[in-house]
């Protein structure tokens, strides 16, 4: 599962998203869920790359139990419990993101293999509670 979570869209370094872009994408995804409903929004985030993938940024959504309900980089993760995924130092990633969102949202830092260089790098994901008040909507950037 950890290897599958790592799969992202390969991009050149100049095509990296910024923290501001990631936060804006999370906020847009939040509004999209409110506008079209969760089921359609989750499908859009997972399959509509033209509108929901920018540079190396993509939307991921998890429920309160840590199950992926949408994933813009790897649709094979949808429906899978990802609570066991940890960074190389043992930090639980999905549980950390759920906790961050539950505390009002914000940035969660961890280490993850860069999809371009394959080297372990710092990553920050902005996580916000879903409109239903559970789980999170997130978009991450490499630091």
């Amino acid at each position: 599962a950890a290897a599958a979570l790592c799969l992202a869209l390969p991009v050149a370094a100049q095509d990296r998203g910024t923290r501001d872009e990631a936060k804006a994408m999370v906020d847009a995804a939040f509004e999209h869920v409110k506008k079209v409903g969760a089921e359609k929004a989750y499908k859009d985030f997972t399959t509509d790359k033209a509108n929901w993938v920018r540079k190396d940024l993509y939307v991921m959504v998890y429920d309160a139990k840590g199950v992926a309900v949408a994933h813009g980089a790897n649709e094979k993760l949808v429906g899978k419990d990802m609570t066991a995924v940890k960074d190389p130092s043992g930090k639980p990633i999905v549980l950390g993101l759920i906790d961050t969102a539950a505390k009002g949202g914000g940035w969660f830092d961890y280490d993850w293999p860069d999809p371009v260089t394959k080297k372990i790098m710092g990553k920050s994901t902005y996580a916000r509670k879903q409109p239903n008040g559970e789980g999170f909507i997130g978009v991450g950037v490499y630091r």
Side-chain angles (χ1 to χ4, degrees):
L5 186 62
C6 175
L7 293 178
L9 308 168
V11 294
Q14 67 269 22
D15 291 334
R16 300 270 188 201
T18 66
R19 287 171 68 98
D20 288 343
E21 290 169 323
K23 184 180 182 307
M25 190 178 250
V26 168
D27 292 343
F30 182 90
E31 293 303 320
H32 189 62
V33 172
K34 286 176 30 181
K35 181 179 178 182
V36 304
E39 186 175 335
K40 175 156 179 28
Y42 297 163
K43 182 178 179 191
D44 291 346
F45 302 148
T46 301
T47 62
D48 184 359
K49 308 296 186 205
N51 289 308
W52 294 104
V53 174
R54 297 278 185 268
K55 301 178 184 176
D56 63 340
L57 305 177
Y58 56 87
V59 176
M60 57 181 157
V61 185
Y62 286 78
D63 68 15
K65 295 177 183 173
V67 174
V69 295
H71 204 287
N74 188 349
E75 74 179 89
K76 291 179 182 174
L77 295 179
V78 175
K80 295 192 183 208
D81 178 346
M82 302 301 288
T83 56
V85 176
K86 297 178 181 176
D87 80 353
S89 69
K91 184 187 282 189
I93 297 170
V94 173
L95 293 175
L97 289 162
I98 290 169
D99 187 53
T100 298
K103 292 177 179 173
W107 293 96
F108 179 74
D109 297 332
Y110 53 98
D111 294 325
W112 202 248
D114 178 276
V116 176
T117 67
K118 308 299 183 211
K119 294 180 182 175
I120 300 295
M121 292 182 60
K123 190 165 185 178
S124 297
T125 295
Y126 187 80
R128 179 178 178 180
K129 266 190 204 179
Q130 293 191 64
N132 67 7
E134 297 181 0
F136 73 91
I137 299 170
V139 176
V141 297
Y142 284 92
R143 302 186 308 260

